[in-house]
Amino acid sequence: MRYFIEFSYNGFNYHGWQMQPNAITVQEKMNSCVSTLIKKKIELIAAGRTDTGVHARQMFAHFDCEKINDLEDFIFKMNSFLPNDIFIKDVFSVNKDSHARFSAISRTYEYYISNSKQVFNPNIYTFFKKLNIDKMNEASLYLLGEKDFTSFSKLHSDSYTNICNVSEIKFEKIDENIMFSITSNRFLRNMVRSIVGTLIDVGTSKIQSDKINYILKMKNRSEAGFSVPAKGLFLTRIIYPKNI
């Protein structure tokens, strides 16, 4: 049978999701946990690869095994086995051809910025200059739709295409912080962090809003702005078809 795991994690202590030599990753911890519980070596396949230090409020991964008779007990044991910065919310059976990565319809990321020093919440990026949110939202509109995001992708990535379809994007004030959210069918490596850094350049009047269109057309990473730190980035929502 094929099972999906819905989970979340704080990425501070991990070098991203994907297994790496000589580095602690979320996949390593999860693989070990599930393999121990079902007494069979497995490798989880996740909905995506988060970079070092990036967090996930909602992530999914799938694995195959014989029928698990008591899923509630399985979830309890996983949460007992795993470190406190990884939380298993649910485990459920799906169709055999359902895939955590390729079946996903959309993904949403959020990025948090503060204009004041964060003493009690280190998972927010502090940017001390005042930002013009209206200008940043105006510039964001150039990123909507199906476009080539090569200029906002890490160089030498292994993506088969750099075309992504962004359906929602906005900045909004949340109490004393600024939240950026973006929804797309897929994301490239470093894409969200470089988009936020570039839009910050708009918010500080370093560049004009319409330069975003030029940056897209150039398909050159050096044309875009800096990449903001990973600590403010959260994968927050993944949507699948109802028939999985």
Side-chain angles (χ1 to χ4, degrees):
M1 295 185 67
R2 176 157 293 183
Y3 290 93
F4 266 34
I5 304 176
E6 181 182 359
F7 60 103
S8 58
Y9 55 86
N10 184 319
F12 180 80
N13 292 316
Y14 301 102
H15 288 256
W17 159 260
Q18 191 168 13
M19 294 276 288
Q20 297 181 40
N22 306 315
I24 300 173
T25 67
V26 179
Q27 186 182 27
E28 174 194 341
K29 296 293 185 182
M30 297 274 289
N31 282 355
S32 175
C33 176
V34 176
S35 297
T36 299
L37 291 176
I38 67 173
K39 298 179 174 62
K40 173 187 174 183
K41 188 174 182 179
I42 61 96
E43 183 170 329
L44 292 166
I45 298 175
R49 298 178 299 182
T50 53
D51 291 335
T52 298
V54 176
H55 318 288
R57 288 205 176 98
Q58 184 182 56
M59 174 66 97
F60 290 89
H62 78 253
F63 68 99
D64 297 330
C65 72
E66 297 298 321
K67 183 179 179 181
I68 300 172
N69 291 318
D70 190 339
L71 286 174
E72 187 174 340
D73 183 63
F74 186 78
I75 294 168
F76 174 80
K77 287 177 178 175
M78 284 194 73
N79 279 317
S80 300
F81 188 94
L82 289 164
N84 290 333
D85 49 13
I86 302 175
F87 170 66
I88 307 303
K89 181 180 180 182
D90 200 6
V91 178
F92 53 94
S93 61
V94 295
N95 299 328
K96 190 66 177 177
D97 59 350
S98 295
H99 195 285
R101 179 182 176 188
F102 298 124
S103 297
I105 297 171
S106 71
R107 298 157 174 85
T108 299
Y109 279 91
E110 292 175 358
Y111 194 88
Y112 291 85
I113 304 170
S114 176
N115 290 126
S116 61
K117 194 171 184 179
Q118 294 297 301
V119 178
F120 300 109
N121 192 347
N123 293 325
I124 294 181
Y125 171 50
T126 302
F127 188 82
F128 289 107
K129 292 182 181 179
K130 187 175 180 181
L131 298 171
N132 187 320
I133 295 179
D134 291 336
K135 284 186 177 181
M136 293 159 80
N137 275 323
E138 179 185 322
S140 296
L141 297 178
Y142 289 99
L143 300 171
L144 282 172
E146 190 173 77
K147 292 180 169 62
D148 188 321
F149 282 86
T150 299
S151 292
F152 297 99
S153 173
K154 194 167 186 176
L155 295 174
H156 312 301
S157 68
D158 56 359
S159 298
Y160 67 93
T161 176
N162 289 341
I163 302 295
C164 303
N165 191 348
V166 174
S167 55
E168 295 179 31
I169 186 170
K170 66 177 178 179
F171 285 90
E172 59 183 312
K173 200 90 157 74
I174 306 291
D175 297 325
E176 298 303 313
N177 302 319
I178 298 169
M179 183 189 78
F180 170 75
S181 62
I182 181 169
T183 300
S184 179
N185 64 326
R186 60 193 296 270
F187 287 91
L188 308 175
R189 287 192 66 188
N190 206 237
M191 176 174 158
V192 180
R193 291 163 58 195
S194 60
I195 285 175
V196 174
T198 306
L199 293 173
I200 282 176
D201 285 344
V202 174
T204 57
S205 298
K206 184 177 179 180
I207 62 173
Q208 297 301 307
S209 299
D210 58 3
K211 191 175 181 182
I212 300 299
N213 199 36
Y214 167 81
I215 292 169
L216 282 167
K217 288 179 179 178
M218 292 303 293
K219 300 179 185 179
N220 187 333
R221 178 65 186 90
S222 63
E223 294 290 343
F226 70 103
S227 288
V228 290
K231 66 179 184 177
L233 183 59
F234 295 76
L235 173 60
T236 59
R237 187 180 62 189
I238 304 172
I239 302 296
Y240 290 96
K242 292 181 179 180
N243 64 353
I244 64 166

